[in-house]
Amino acid sequence: MRIDPSLAETLRIVAEQGTLEAAARHLHMTPSAVSQRLKPLEQQLGQRLLVRAKPVRLTAPGEVVVRFARGQSLLEQEASAALGLDAQGERRASASP
């Protein structure tokens, strides 16, 4: 089983924003689209990851997936910095080729 990092990132944003609506604004999509991104992740893992309340609450498996997403984000930031890339993946002006 492989956890899709982009779907895990969506769950992280929902958890941090507190509601599907706030996460949708952050992600520039509709709340329905955010919910539709979470469904395949829950189906793939065979576990409920989120209690859809206001504010949302992560289940224990949801906490694991959010921890995974945060770790992925840190690894990406470290790799970008080591490669001389900015947050958008562009080479920083001061980085040497």
Side-chain angles (χ1 to χ4, degrees):
M1 175 211 46
R2 181 179 176 277
I3 299 172
D4 183 319
S6 67
L7 299 180
E9 179 67 6
T10 300
L11 180 64
R12 181 190 69 79
I13 291 168
V14 170
E16 290 177 358
Q17 295 293 316
T19 66
L20 291 175
E21 292 80 10
R25 284 190 299 275
H26 182 84
L27 294 166
H28 307 288
M29 56 178 58
T30 67
S32 177
V34 172
S35 183
Q36 291 301 313
R37 288 185 57 91
L38 298 176
K39 281 183 185 178
L41 185 58
E42 289 182 320
Q43 289 171 344
Q44 176 189 23
L45 299 175
Q47 300 185 59
R48 188 172 179 193
L49 303 175
L50 188 70
V51 176
R52 286 163 171 81
K54 290 195 180 192
V56 296
R57 291 187 322 271
L58 293 171
T59 62
E63 294 278 355
V64 172
V65 173
V66 167
R67 205 166 40 250
F68 166 81
R70 288 182 179 138
Q72 286 289 115
S73 179
L74 286 173
L75 287 171
E76 185 176 18
Q77 290 170 16
E78 289 173 5
S80 291
L83 294 168
L85 304 175
D86 64 16
Q88 289 74 38
E90 299 291 326
R91 201 155 202 37
R92 286 181 277 183
S94 62
S96 58

